[in-house]
Amino acid sequence: MSFSQFQSFQPIAAIATTSGALQRLQPLCQRLDATLWIPNTLHPLPGTQVYSGSLAEHLATLWSSHRALIFGLASGAVVRLIAPLLQHKSSDPAVVVVDQTGKFVISLCGGHQGGADQLTRLVAHQLTATAIITGAANALGLPAVDLLGVPFGWRRGPGDWTEVSAAIARGERVNVLQEAGSALWQHSLPPGHPFDFVPNTEAKFRISISYQPQLNPAISDTAQVQWFPRVLWLGIGCERNTPKALIEKAIEQVLQQYNLAEAAIAGIATLDIKGDEPGLVELCQAQHWPLRTFPSEVLRQIEVPNPSEVVAAEVGTPSVAEAAALQAAGVQTLLVSKQIYRDDLPTSQISNRIGQAVTVAISQAEREYTGRTGQLLLVGTGPGELDQITPAAQTAIVQADVVIGYSLYLELIAPLLHPGQIVESYPITQERQRAERAIDLAQWGLTVAVVSSGDCGIYGMAGLVFEQLRTRGWDGKTPAVQVFPGISALQSAASRVGAPLMHDFCAISLSDLLTPLEVIEKRLIAAAQADFVCILYNPRSRTRTEQLHTAKRIFLEARSGNTAVAIVRSAYRPDEEITLTTLEHFNPDTVDMLTTVLIGNQSTGIYENWMITPRGYLGIP
Ligand code: SAH
C-alpha cells in the first residue's frame, strides 16, 4: 500500500546498485509506490525493475519523467551522475540519498522547490533514520522563502530567489510586504527571525506577497521575490461559443490595465448555464482554474454597480460577471467593475465575428484559493516518548502543514516538528475550538494533523472531529480523513507493570464533564460485578476528587480487598511513577489526572513487583 503522504512526490524512482542497498530500499519502495531500478547483476525482488547499459544513460531517461529520485548509492557517485542533468531548482526533481547503513537520509538536491527536504524527512521516518538537511533556512529554524506559500497554494512569481535566500542565510533583514493571502506563516516564526513587516522603501531585500506584479523590478536596487496568493475571482459573461482565445484576450487586457497578476487568479465564476461553455471550460482546464457557476436566482440577489436590463431579460439576472465575481469571492465590493471587451482578433481565429464580446469583473477574496484538497490527520502520539509513536504517525506529523494540539503534547513531540510548519497549541479545555480550527483549515485545503496523546480515538480528539464534520454535512471524503492509532494509556500503563490486561478488560473514564455521574457509577458497578480488569482514565483532578473514592467503594463491594491495583503516573515520561498496591490499601488521594489506575480481576496477582492476570493456560492459580 502506498501512503498518501508520498503522493505529491509521485512518480518516484529509486536506484540500488548493491544487494545491501536493494534489501534496504525494496520495502521502502513498496510502501512509497516507487519503482526500484537495479542493474542486471543483481537478483530482482518483487517490485524491482532491471536496467541494462550504464546507469548514467538510464538516469537520463528517469530524470525528466520523475518528481523524485532516491539513491542507495554513495553521495559522491550520485553527484557525478546527476551533474550533467541538473538544470534549475525550479524544475529538477528531488534527489535523496540513503546511506549504506540506512542510518542517514540526505537531501542532496532540489531541497526546496523539488521537495527533497520534505521527502528526506518522510523517508527518514520510514527508515527510523536521521534526516540530513543542509539548507540554511532549515538550520535557522525558518521556512524556506521559496516554499513559504506552498501550503496556501500561492504561485511563485519572478524574482531574485537565490539572492533573497542567501541574504536570509547571512542573517540580513528582509522586508515583507504582504497585501494579500494568509498571514498564518508569520505566526510560527522563531524569535529573532529576519523578517520585518513595516513597509520600507530602502530595504535591500524584499518578499512581496500580493496580487499585483511589482512594476519595473529591474530599475530597483532591491533584490525581490514575489508570491501571488490566488485571491482574484474573475466573473465572466460571454455569448455562446465565444472562443477561448477571445476570453483569454479579454482577461489579459483587464489584468494589464489594472496591474493584476495572472498568477493571482483563483478561478472563474459565471452563470450556471455557462458551465459547459466550451471556451470557458477549455480555458479553465488549461490554466487549472476552477469554474464556479451560480444559478440566476442567486446572482440576481446580489447588488452590483452595473446592472443591465437587457441581460436580465435574457438570462434572468441583471448581472453575470459582477454578481458571479462577488459571489465566488464572498465579498461585497468589486476590485474591477464590469469591463466589456470586444474582439479584434484576426477573422481566421473566430468563426462568427458578429457580436462577440466578453464581460469581465474582478473581486478579491479575503481567503486565497489553495487549489488543494485538505486532509485531516488524526494522530495518536502515545504516552509521551518519541519512541512510542508509530512511524506512520510520525510521518503524518512531519507531512502536516499545520499541527494542532494541547500544548503539553505538542511539547512532547517538538523534535518531530520542522521549520515552516504552522503549530497551534491550545489549552487542555479547548477541544472544540481545536477540532473546529482543524476542520476549517482542512476544508480550506491544508494538511492538518490533530494530535492527541495515547490513541486519538480513545478519549481523544478523533471522535470530536468526526462529530463536528458530520454536523457540517461532510460527504465522508473531502477533506480526506486518516486516523493514525497510538499506544493508549491502558497499554502503556499495563506494559510498565507487567501483563494485567491478559483477560477481558474494560476502560472507564471517571470524568463527569461529558458523562453524568450516574452513568459512570452504573458502568463501574457493571464492570466490577462482571469481573473485568478495569482501567480508570481521568481518575481525579484538582477539583474532582470524589469519583475515585466511589470507584474504590464499588469495587470493594464486588471484589476482595486483596485485588491487585496499579497506579501508573506519567508512563514513559521523565516524571513516571508506578505504585503497586491492593484495593483495600489503595489511597485515591495520591492520584492525579496524569495517572491511570488499573484494577485487577479476581485472579490478577502481584508477583515480584509485576502485575499479572492469568489467561488460564496453566489452569486457575
Ligand atoms: N487519548 C488518551 C487518553 C486521554 S484522557 C489515550 O489513549 O491514552 C487523559 C487520561 O489518560 C489521563 O487522565 C490519564 O488517565 C491517561 N493518561 C494519558 N497519558 C498517560 C500517561 N502517560 N501515563 C498515565 N496515564 C496517562
Side-chain angles (χ1 to χ4, degrees), residues 90-131:
S90 61
S91 56
D92 291 332
V95 179
V96 171
V97 179
V98 177
D99 89 308
Q100 296 293 309
T101 63
K103 288 194 186 125
F104 300 101
V105 185
I106 306 163
S107 170
L108 192 68
C109 202
H112 295 167
Q113 294 173 43
D117 288 357
Q118 184 67 343
L119 183 60
T120 295
R121 291 186 187 105
L122 292 168
V123 169
H125 280 287
Q126 291 292 322
L127 298 176
T128 46
T130 303

Side-chain angles (χ1 to χ4, degrees), residues 242-534:
T242 304
K244 167 172 167 264
L246 187 66
I247 305 171
E248 245 168 350
K249 269 255 169 189
I251 294 174
E252 197 185 299
Q253 189 179 311
V254 178
L255 292 177
Q256 210 166 24
Q257 190 180 343
Y258 290 87
N259 187 35
L260 302 173
E262 187 189 274
I265 295 178
I268 289 193
T270 189
L271 186 63
D272 56 2
I273 53 166
K274 292 270 159 212
D276 60 353
E277 183 62 48
L280 270 183
V281 172
E282 270 171 53
L283 178 62
C284 286
Q285 276 170 355
Q287 297 279 8
H288 303 288
W289 289 334
L291 178 60
R292 288 207 182 143
T293 61
F294 305 99
S296 57
E297 304 84 73
V298 170
L299 295 186
R300 72 166 165 250
Q301 314 281 340
I302 295 166
E303 218 170 293
V304 295
N306 301 295
S308 149
E309 277 173 30
V310 181
V311 175
E314 216 174 297
V315 292
T317 165
S319 162
V320 172
E322 291 188 338
L326 290 170
Q327 180 70 11
V331 293
Q332 267 145 33
T333 48
L334 289 163
L335 201 61
V336 177
S337 58
K338 175 161 99 173
Q339 308 290 308
I340 300 172
Y341 180 85
R342 289 188 194 285
D343 86 75
D344 57 355
L345 288 177
T347 340
S348 60
Q349 289 195 28
I350 297 170
S351 45
N352 169 18
R353 286 180 57 91
I354 303 149
Q356 295 279 9
V358 179
T359 317
V360 181
I362 304 180
S363 65
Q364 181 198 348
E366 248 173 60
R367 207 179 222 192
E368 61 271 41
Y369 171 73
T370 63
R372 305 169 78 211
T373 305
Q375 290 192 70
L376 274 168
L377 312 175
L378 309 178
V379 183
T381 55
E385 197 175 75
L386 290 182
D387 279 5
Q388 304 291 339
I389 307 179
T390 68
Q394 298 204 8
T395 305
I397 293 167
V398 171
Q399 182 217 5
D401 301 317
V402 186
V403 183
I404 292 182
Y406 163 44
S407 38
L408 170 71
Y409 302 150
L410 290 178
E411 277 163 36
L412 292 169
I413 60 158
L416 295 176
L417 304 173
H418 60 80
Q421 270 181 321
I422 299 155
V423 180
E424 295 195 352
S425 74
Y426 286 77
I428 190 153
T429 46
Q430 297 190 1
E431 287 91 356
R432 285 185 65 158
Q433 287 90 327
R434 257 181 269 165
E436 262 162 32
R437 175 70 174 159
I439 295 172
D440 274 343
L441 294 175
Q443 279 179 335
W444 180 33
L446 273 56
T447 297
V448 186
V450 182
V451 299
S452 283
S453 77
D455 184 275
C456 54
I458 299 180
Y459 310 121
M461 291 292 296
L464 176 55
V465 171
F466 276 114
E467 280 182 69
Q468 285 187 352
L469 280 167
R470 192 174 60 181
T471 54
R472 291 190 190 197
W474 181 51
D475 67 355
K477 295 190 206 89
T478 315
V481 178
Q482 268 191 89
V483 186
F484 295 83
I487 298 175
S488 187
L490 68 89
Q491 292 156 291
S492 54
S495 73
R496 300 309 270 157
V497 296
L501 306 182
M502 278 299 291
H503 218 296
D504 301 337
F505 60 86
C506 176
I508 298 178
S509 164
L510 297 193
S511 168
D512 64 343
L513 278 179
L514 302 164
T515 312
L517 273 177
E518 309 81 73
V519 174
I520 298 175
E521 282 184 25
K522 202 168 121 190
R523 290 182 184 165
L524 285 168
I525 293 168
Q529 286 177 347
D531 201 32
F532 283 113
V533 178
C534 254

Side-chain angles (χ1 to χ4, degrees), residues 10-24:
Q10 302 292 1
I12 309 175
I15 294 124
T17 55
T18 62
S19 60
L22 169 60
Q23 299 294 339
R24 190 154 298 112

Side-chain angles (χ1 to χ4, degrees), residues 382-384 409 452-461 486-490 492-493 509 536-540 568-573 592-597:
Y409 302 150
S452 283
S453 77
D455 184 275
C456 54
I458 299 180
Y459 310 121
M461 291 292 296
I487 298 175
S488 187
L490 68 89
S492 54
S509 164
L536 304 181
Y537 281 76
N538 302 302
R540 185 171 183 272
V568 182
R569 181 178 189 276
S570 293
Y572 294 91
R573 294 184 195 160
D592 67 7
M593 65 187 262
L594 299 175
T595 306
T596 296
V597 177

Side-chain angles (χ1 to χ4, degrees), residues 4-75:
S4 62
Q5 289 96 304
F6 294 98
Q7 238 154 36
S8 59
F9 300 99
Q10 302 292 1
I12 309 175
I15 294 124
T17 55
T18 62
S19 60
L22 169 60
Q23 299 294 339
R24 190 154 298 112
L25 291 188
Q26 194 257 351
L28 176 78
C29 287
Q30 297 227 304
R31 260 174 283 155
L32 265 57
D33 210 5
T35 321
L36 177 54
W37 291 94
I38 54 170
N40 52 17
T41 46
L42 289 182
H43 190 69
L45 292 177
T48 55
Q49 298 228 27
V50 176
Y51 65 85
S52 47
S54 83
L55 176 53
E57 276 166 23
H58 183 60
L59 192 59
T61 66
L62 300 177
W63 188 255
S64 52
S65 54
H66 286 78
R67 301 223 348 226
L69 298 168
I70 302 174
F71 289 87
L73 270 172
S75 52

